[in-house]
């Protein structure tokens, strides 16, 4: 299988339980890729400016409680 369309076709032939297992695996794989990207960005200094800004906001209490943010939506 070399193309996305071939993969999609194969997935459509799987039983639902296998599709759900595949979806779970794929989400875990994507989560791992995200974690690796964050680690790479952190190590390279890409996030330094954002971290410094967050620390500065925290220092002057320019932050909101997460529950407050989530309940505003």
């Amino acid at each position: 299988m070399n193309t996305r369309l071939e993969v999609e076709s194969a997935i459509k032939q799987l039983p639902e339980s296998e599709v759900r297992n595949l979806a779970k695996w794929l989400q875990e794989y994507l989560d791992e890729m995200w974690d690796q990207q964050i680690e790479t960005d952190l190590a390279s200094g890409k996030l330094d400016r954002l971290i410094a800004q967050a620390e500065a906001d925290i220092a002057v209490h320019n932050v909101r409680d997460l529950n407050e943010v989530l309940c505003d939506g």
Side-chain angles (χ1 to χ4, degrees):
M1 267 182 259
N2 295 323
T3 70
R4 182 184 55 87
L5 291 176
E6 290 174 319
V7 172
E8 285 178 4
S9 178
I11 289 170
K12 289 177 181 177
Q13 296 175 38
L14 293 173
E16 181 181 350
S17 63
E18 287 296 314
V19 173
R20 291 185 183 280
N21 286 338
L22 178 60
K24 181 179 181 231
W25 175 85
L26 185 56
Q27 186 59 60
E28 290 170 355
Y29 179 73
L30 291 170
D31 291 346
E32 184 178 311
M33 287 176 57
W34 173 260
D35 289 346
Q36 289 174 356
Q37 185 64 55
I38 292 293
E39 288 177 18
T40 299
D41 290 349
L42 186 58
S44 73
K46 276 187 171 181
L47 303 177
D48 290 353
R49 184 182 56 80
L50 295 173
I51 292 169
Q53 182 61 55
E55 289 172 341
D57 287 342
I58 291 168
V60 296
H61 304 290
N62 186 25
V63 294
R64 292 172 56 193
D65 184 85
L66 182 58
N67 288 329
E68 179 185 336
V69 173
L70 295 175
C71 292
D72 278 353

